[in-house]
Every structure is written in C-alpha cells, then in structure tokens.
Amino acid sequence: MEENKKLEPEKAGKEEGTPVSRHFIEQFIDKDLADGVYSHVQTRFPPEPNGYLHIGHAKSILLNYGMAQEYGGKFNLRFDDTNPTKEKTEFVESIKEDVAWLGADWEDRLFFASNYFQQMYECAVLLIKKGKAFVCDLTAEEIRETRGTLTEPGTNSPYRDRSVEENLQLFENMKNGMYADGEKVLRAKIDMASPNINMRDPIIYRVAHMTHHNTGDAWCIYPMYDFAHPIEDAIEHITHSLCTLEFEDHRPLYDWVVRECEFEEPPRQIEFAKLYLKNVVTGKRYIKKLVENGIVDGWDDPRLVSISGLRRRGYTPESIKMFVELSGISKAQSTAEMPLLEYCVREDLKTKARRMMAVLDPVKLVIDNYPEGQTEMLDVPNNTENEELGSRQVPFGRELYIEREDFMEVPPKKYFRLFPGNEVRLMNAYFVTCTGLEKDEDGNVTVIHCSYDPASRGGNSPDGRKVKGTIHWVAAETAKQVTVRLYENIIDEEKGMFAEDGSLNLNPKSLVEVQGFVEPALGNAEAGDRFQFVRNGYFCADIKDSVPGQPVFNRIVGLKSSFKLP
Ligand code: ATP
Ligand code: MG
C-alpha cells in the first residue's frame, strides 16, 4: 500500500472561507453532518466478484475512498457475493489487488456480504412478524403478469393475506429445503398500486439449491439484491451508500428496507452518473469474447481499460485519480474521452519519468571522422524538468542508430532533420553533417555517413552557428535490442464501436511489435519501470513478459496530444 502516501486526501474546500465548488455528494454530506443526521462518514466499494474491475469502477472506488478520506471517515471493501451463480474466488484476489493499487485503503475492513446471511434471514423473519412480508406461491411468470405496467397498477397476490404464523412456517420450510427452486418466494408487502414498480411487493428471498463459494450448502434460500444491499450497508454502519444512477428508482425500496428492519442511523443512498469512455470496450461480455477468441492477451491486456490492463500498460494510480477528478462527479450522464486519460498520464510522468534514448525504427549512422574503436561517455540529465532525477552516463561512438524517419535523401520543404549536406544536433552529443549514404539493391538506405564537429561536444554550438534539427540516437556497439509494443485503441475509431451485426469494429493495428535499440541503462529496466523515450512517448517495462536484462516495453502513450484542457 505504498502508493497510498501519494494519494493524500484532497483537503481543498475544507478550510473555512475557501471558495471551492463542491460536488453534489459533498454538499449532501456537508448537510447531513451539519443537521446531525450522522456523526461520522463511512463509505464502501461493493463489487460483485464476477469479473475484473475497469476504469468505471475506479471512479466508484476513488469517490467512495475520497469521501471517507475527506471527512476523516472510514472506507470498507465489501464483496457483494450474495448471488451463488456467478461469483468466482479468482476475481476476489484481482479486485483486492486493483483496489489496493489505486490507493484505496480498507485497513482491516474487508467484508463479504455472504457472512451476513443469518442477519438477513432474521430481518426477513422480522418483516414477516410485522406483517410486512409474505410467502407467495405464484410462479415467476405469474408474478411478472400481475405486476402491472408503468400506467396500470398491479394486482395483489392471492397469497398476500396469509397469516403471520403461516408465513413464518412456510419461510422456515423454504429455508429447510422443502421446496424446489422457484416453487415459493418471500415478497415484501408494500403496495401493488405504487407508481414505482420496484415497490409492488418485490421478491426479497428466493429458493435456489446451489452451492455458494463461501457458505457452501448452508443455505438454499438467497436474498435478492434490493433487500440484501441496504442490510449490508446498515450492518457495516455505512452512512452514505454511493451507487450509480440505475438504482435511483430503487431508492424508495432501499429506504423501506432499512426503516422496516429497524436499523438505527440507517444509511442513505446517493446516486451518481457512471463513467463512460467513448469508443472504449468496458462490457464484461465483450471483453470475455476478446479473451476467448485470443484477440487480447487476457483480462490484463494493455489495450483494455480493465484496471489490471491499465496497470500493465503503464498507467499510474495518480493519473487515473486525476482523470476521475477531471471528468467530474455529477448526476448528468456524460462521456469522457480517452485523450483525457492520456493527458493525465503524460502530466503525471512528465517530471517523474527519466528521459532516455530508444530508436524504434533503426538505421545505421557512421561518423567517418570519429576515431575507430573509441567510446566516450556523455553525462546526460535524466529529466531536464526535474533536476532531482540526476544524470547518467550514455556511451557514444563512431557507429550509431537513428530513426529511419530522421533521414531523407530528398527532403521536402521545412524538413530540418538529416539529409545530404545538412547539419543537425545529435541530442546531448555533437553536431554532425551528412556526407553521404549507402543503399541496398532495393533502394533502401542502409548506412548514413556523417562527419562530426569535435568542438560541439554536449550538443553545444561551438561558434554560435545554429542547427534547426535535434535527433536522438543510440550507440551501436553498446545498444540493447528489445521488443517494443506499440498500442492503439482496440476499436477502429473511424468506424465506431459496433458493426451492423453487433460485433466490435476492431482496429487491426491495435498492437504493432517492433525491435528497437535502446541505450544500456534501459536494457536494465525492471518490470514496471516507466520512462520517456525521447521524441517517442512514454513506455513501461511489461510486468508479465520482461525478464531481468531483457525488458519488453509497452507504449503507454505518445508525446503529442490532441487534447486541450478546457
Ligand atoms: P455487473 O453488470 O456485473 O453488475 P458492474 O460493473 O455493475 O457489473 P459491480 O461489481 O456491481 O459491477 O460494481 C461495483 C460498483 O461499481 C457498483 O457500485 C457500481 O455502481 C460501480 N460501477 C460500475 N460501473 C461503473 C462505472 N462505469 N462508473 C462508475 N461506477 C461504476
Ligand atoms: Mg452491478
């Protein structure tokens, strides 16, 4: 949890008189505290362990954790594992790893909703005793048919007026496994004429003869989400239960459950808009297909916006936090753009990452007037915008690699890089002038010849003469050859997300693998290390495929941005 320290709580707006605009959830909490509704703040992140977390979940995690931090409260991680069909233990571990990586510290408050089954059962019994719940024999279809519509009320179940005693007995029979799946359900007795369909005697318990990953075969009745969730929150003394907008219509039921189950200081639900990213796949269904069809390398493929994919790509927790903050907390549905996330990671790495030289599409350059067999070490600052990162020694020699696109035999106008007769600066090294070139039979340039000016060491002009181009390079003799993965969106942005048949429009160039040459210091990069490759972008040594002495680099993001902060 080392990352925690960097994710210090935002104290903005807490000091009196600071005119910082507060989002609607902060305003709710401020008011609740001022009115004495609650004396503390406690939030939770309640994932269902049925898949990997994605950038949308990061919004929920950071919002919930952020509110607890801001108000000196507590944050719980709770697995919402009340549904025995879907949950998988594998996901529990990946979710814990992702939440911790984002810096959201649940301390000793890791909970499983399935541990509350007994209390939920007791709540149901209490409702029956109060005449607020009944066992219903209607089939699922009959329940649907009698529920009514948006414009018409529903009709009461013929089993609605069973006595408390009969209901208690039948519910106990349900619990004891005397009925088949679907034979009987427990329903809340609320109002079949309510304008809110969720309040029309909703099902709160069902029979399901299934083995649960945590409770095994202890239970054959399971609570429905709308009943279970408010109880989970209440048991944990959650004050503000933050959830996404689709639960807005369920809030009256949430309030009904905590009230009728007679919890003290009942939690309150507040809904916010989900985070959507344009032209980005987040749906579990689609990602599953991409994984199964071998189009991506698992749920942590660096092209996915799963949190594990973003981590592997090289995104930092700080950049994701900045992104979530900039995209804002509101009730209005909106779509964020990938370039905003890319902007955030560039901003974060700008002064954090060392700037090194890597040539991704190499061509040989020979300095004919440089002594043969000589290697000299140049002292190069690691980050010109952050002196604290110090400097390193970079070897220079007679033979170098430069980027193929930094040379043109016949340059167009305004091409300031290398071409016959032109002088450029080799970054941090010397001025060189192109004196000639060699080609293969097909006309491809194989070697570029130059002469250098020894007086320009360090890349400084010896006599005030100017060069317009500065290019990067790697000394051939000491260069390390590495695999570099150049990523783009897995979706073909020009075509949009979906084809007419509902399948995804995939970008065939979403992963291009090249063999590049890097300076020796990069050859020793450790898995997870992040760098700027000058003029090429930000890169991260892959955490899965790098081995000591042979890193594989993922491009996190290029250097240029189409994004402008408004
Ligand atoms: P499912 O479709 O399986 O329910 P889910 O993405 O809603 O998937 P949950 O485990 O239920 O997964 O989500 C945990 C929490 O994350 C919930 O509180 C949910 O509201 C929130 N959440 C999910 N998607 C987003 C999103 N795109 N933006 C913000 N919050 C989200
Ligand atoms: Mg959900």
Side-chain angles (χ1 to χ4, degrees):
M1 308 281 318
E2 196 202 340
E3 304 278 6
N4 270 356
K5 294 185 191 80
K6 290 174 215 149
L7 281 173
E8 277 298 346
E10 221 72 30
K11 287 281 188 276
K14 287 301 281 178
E15 280 109 89
E16 262 178 84
T18 355
V20 174
S21 76
R22 309 189 41 76
H23 61 64
F24 78 102
I25 294 178
E26 293 170 314
Q27 291 175 16
F28 268 126
I29 300 178
D30 287 345
K31 186 165 187 311
D32 280 349
L33 293 176
D35 294 350
V37 179
Y38 301 109
S39 51
H40 72 293
V41 170
Q42 189 145 0
T43 59
R44 86 288 173 263
F45 176 63
E48 216 180 311
N50 65 354
Y52 287 84
L53 299 182
H54 56 64
I55 183 85
H57 296 111
K59 174 174 179 173
S60 179
I61 293 164
L62 294 171
L63 172 64
N64 277 292
Y65 180 66
M67 290 303 94
Q69 286 285 92
E70 184 176 327
Y71 291 93
K74 289 175 178 163
F75 165 80
N76 298 1
L77 175 59
R78 178 206 313 146
F79 285 97
D80 206 335
D81 60 349
T82 53
N83 186 346
T85 46
K86 292 189 270 176
E87 281 94 19
K88 271 207 195 147
T89 318
E90 163 200 357
F91 296 124
V92 170
E93 288 314 309
S94 85
I95 290 172
K96 278 162 68 177
E97 191 183 351
D98 290 348
V99 175
W101 180 73
L102 283 171
D105 187 358
W106 61 84
E107 297 172 349
D108 58 352
R109 290 177 304 280
L110 171 66
F111 300 119
F112 289 84
S114 57
N115 287 338
Y116 309 142
F117 280 156
Q118 180 61 31
Q119 282 139 294
M120 292 174 188
Y121 173 77
E122 285 161 16
C123 284
V125 169
L126 175 66
L127 291 181
I128 295 173
K129 286 182 178 163
K130 292 169 73 174
K132 301 278 183 177
F134 65 99
V135 173
C136 183
D137 300 2
L138 295 180
T139 63
E141 209 186 319
E142 287 165 336
I143 291 177
R144 211 176 309 120
E145 280 166 3
T146 51
R147 199 167 43 196
T149 65
L150 285 175
T151 50
E152 281 174 46
T155 45
N156 284 352
S157 161
Y159 304 98
R160 200 173 197 263
D161 295 321
R162 277 175 164 156
S163 69
V164 168
E165 289 66 35
E166 190 184 1
N167 280 320
L168 285 173
Q169 186 58 55
L170 292 173
F171 188 50
E172 199 179 320
N173 294 348
M174 279 171 68
K175 177 182 174 245
N176 291 337
M178 290 173 64
Y179 309 120
D181 292 6
E183 203 177 320
K184 282 183 169 45
V185 292
L186 184 70
R187 297 175 70 178
K189 195 193 280 191
I190 309 179
D191 178 8
M192 290 305 291
S194 169
N196 184 338
I197 292 183
N198 295 305
M199 299 297 274
R200 294 183 188 169
D201 293 2
I203 299 171
I204 57 177
Y205 257 99
R206 65 188 169 119
V207 176
H209 291 273
M210 278 189 274
T211 303
H212 188 279
H213 78 99
N214 178 27
T215 55
D217 294 317
W219 296 89
C220 63
I221 52 171
Y222 290 97
M224 304 302 286
Y225 181 87
D226 280 345
F227 178 66
H229 203 85
I231 295 176
E232 294 159 23
D233 285 342
I235 289 172
E236 292 178 15
H237 303 290
I238 299 301
T239 54
H240 298 86
S241 178
L242 311 179
C243 67
T244 40
L245 277 185
E246 70 270 24
F247 291 102
E248 196 165 22
D249 291 343
H250 298 243
R251 193 188 333 133
L253 180 53
Y254 184 102
D255 291 341
W256 185 92
V257 170
V258 291
R259 187 175 66 244
E260 294 299 343
C261 294
E262 300 175 12
F263 285 102
E264 279 167 33
E265 270 210 356
R268 128 224 260 313
Q269 175 181 305
I270 305 173
E271 311 85 18
F272 63 94
K274 273 195 176 179
L275 177 73
Y276 285 106
L277 266 172
K278 196 175 159 194
N279 280 335
V280 167
V281 195
T282 51
K284 279 173 206 161
R285 200 156 57 93
Y286 294 105
I287 294 180
K288 214 162 154 250
K289 227 184 236 166
L290 292 174
V291 173
E292 281 165 5
N293 296 342
I295 292 167
V296 297
D297 171 26
W299 287 82
D300 61 352
D301 187 286
R303 288 166 290 178
L304 298 175
V305 292
S306 56
I307 295 180
S308 52
L310 292 168
R311 174 166 63 236
R312 197 175 155 197
R313 176 84 167 252
Y315 277 89
T316 58
E318 292 82 357
S319 65
I320 294 173
K321 186 172 186 238
M322 192 194 302
F323 170 70
V324 163
E325 280 169 4
L326 286 174
S327 48
I329 303 297
S330 90
K331 273 223 182 255
Q333 205 61 259
S334 68
T335 310
E337 309 242 357
M338 205 57 196
L340 177 60
L341 181 58
E342 293 172 345
Y343 163 85
C344 292
V345 76
R346 273 188 213 104
E347 277 297 298
D348 187 38
L349 292 180
K350 192 161 68 184
T351 53
K352 274 190 198 168
R354 282 177 287 165
R355 300 176 182 180
M356 313 275 238
M357 292 196 282
V359 174
L360 304 185
D361 183 15
V363 62
K364 194 61 111 22
L365 182 147
V366 178
I367 303 169
D368 293 302
N369 63 339
Y370 192 89
E372 242 168 286
Q374 177 175 312
T375 297
E376 66 181 297
M377 298 306 266
L378 300 169
D379 191 53
V380 174
N382 285 324
N383 187 320
T384 46
E385 290 180 63
N386 181 1
E387 274 181 25
E388 280 177 26
L389 293 184
S391 63
R392 69 188 184 285
Q393 299 285 302
V394 181
F396 182 85
R398 190 170 189 265
E399 296 197 0
L400 313 170
Y401 293 110
I402 64 165
E403 300 285 353
R404 196 163 276 281
E405 64 164 35
D406 284 340
F407 174 81
M408 287 188 100
E409 190 180 0
V410 184
K413 264 192 183 166
K414 294 197 177 164
Y415 185 86
F416 300 123
R417 290 170 270 169
L418 212 51
F419 54 86
N422 193 41
E423 186 171 49
V424 299
R425 176 189 290 108
L426 292 175
M427 194 177 283
N428 299 307
Y430 291 100
F431 284 15
V432 291
T433 304
C434 179
T435 53
L437 65 145
E438 292 172 38
K439 288 186 191 176
D440 64 13
E441 293 147 17
D442 304 323
N444 301 311
V445 176
T446 51
V447 181
I448 299 158
H449 288 275
C450 287
S451 61
Y452 85 120
D453 178 353
S456 62
R457 195 173 195 274
N460 302 313
S461 179
D463 52 11
R465 76 177 186 273
K466 294 225 161 51
V467 291
K468 279 193 168 157
T470 298
I471 64 176
H472 65 278
W473 50 273
V474 171
E477 204 190 332
T478 46
K480 176 97 191 167
Q481 190 166 28
V482 294
T483 299
V484 181
R485 296 171 179 158
L486 306 174
Y487 293 108
E488 285 180 12
N489 194 346
I490 196 155
I491 296 297
D492 185 332
E493 292 179 12
E494 279 176 18
K495 289 189 186 154
M497 269 294 252
F498 298 105
E500 269 180 23
D501 65 358
S503 64
L504 294 169
N505 284 323
L506 295 176
N507 171 8
K509 292 189 303 182
S510 63
L511 168 56
V512 174
E513 224 171 64
V514 300
Q515 294 297 309
F517 286 107
V518 298
E519 56 172 284
L522 279 172
N524 296 323
E526 285 179 28
D529 284 353
R530 302 178 184 91
F531 304 92
Q532 185 189 108
F533 289 0
V534 291
R535 299 177 64 227
N536 273 316
Y538 289 98
F539 290 77
C540 178
D542 192 85
I543 47 182
K544 245 185 175 173
D545 299 329
S546 297
V547 293
Q550 194 60 58
V552 170
F553 288 102
N554 298 332
R555 180 169 65 196
I556 310 168
V557 66
L559 290 178
K560 287 195 199 89
S561 170
S562 54
F563 174 79
K564 298 253 177 326
L565 259 191

